[in-house]
Amino acid sequence: MALHAQQFFDDALELPLDQYAIIGDTLYAAPQPNSPLRLRIDFAPTMRHGEYDGLRLRVIHPEQGVLDTAILRFADHGTFTRRDTARDLMPGQDGYAVIRDWHNSGPAWHGADGTGLRTAIEKYAHVWFPPPAASRPAACSVAQPAATTGAPPRTR
């Protein structure tokens, strides 16, 4: 596989997922124990065969199928900013913020910075797979009313 998906998901993205498997160029995850929902992440193709400009995230239910799909573009998350700057590529030019799987030497995604993508994936997963209530931080603290004596308020 020219995309080297296993290394991309493990090394470039470093997703904090406990239960996942990479099959071909696709990552399948069960981010929440005892939930029927699954997260599928694969490369989002462009119109050109073998060229990808982002990741496609899908939430899948075993009986209802795909519940939601999101596309995270490499350009929007700065994934190849350093690589493209070094190549003097600008938005709109051929090869900008894309990977192509027809490379023979090394991973097609070499030079990727997965920080922005990882953050976006974590936010997306948090919506569909929120942490259990016990581990959630308190949303906000509510001030408790002051104790009263039970006497009616004084008037002047």
Side-chain angles (χ1 to χ4, degrees):
M1 276 176 267
L3 284 175
H4 299 271
Q6 180 81 42
Q7 291 115 347
F8 178 79
F9 290 121
D10 288 344
D11 299 340
L13 286 184
E14 300 175 24
L15 294 172
L17 300 171
D18 293 327
Q19 296 181 343
Y20 71 92
I22 298 168
I23 302 168
D25 292 336
T26 305
L27 179 140
Y28 297 91
Q32 197 173 55
N34 304 319
S35 172
L37 299 180
R38 299 294 179 256
L39 178 63
R40 175 185 169 155
I41 304 174
D42 57 359
F43 294 91
T46 65
M47 291 180 10
R48 185 180 290 174
H49 176 71
E51 182 178 81
Y52 307 90
D53 65 351
L55 296 177
R56 178 177 40 212
L57 285 63
R58 291 183 178 158
V59 175
I60 302 171
H61 187 277
E63 295 171 2
Q64 298 171 3
V66 176
L67 300 179
D68 190 60
T69 300
I71 303 293
L72 302 178
R73 303 275 177 227
F74 296 139
D76 296 339
H77 299 283
T79 308
F80 295 108
T81 300
R82 277 184 287 161
R83 179 200 72 181
D84 292 345
T85 300
R87 292 180 180 175
D88 205 25
L89 288 174
M90 304 298 286
Q93 290 182 313
D94 185 42
Y96 177 80
V98 299
I99 57 175
R100 296 173 173 152
D101 69 359
W102 58 77
H103 292 270
N104 291 332
S105 60
W109 50 266
H110 184 72
D113 177 0
T115 307
L117 282 175
R118 180 176 47 256
T119 300
I121 292 168
E122 288 172 353
K123 288 179 181 180
Y124 180 83
H126 186 77
V127 170
W128 286 97
F129 308 97
S135 66
R136 284 189 211 154
C140 64
S141 60
V142 178
Q144 297 297 320
T148 61
T149 61
R154 290 192 281 174
T155 59
R156 292 187 176 177

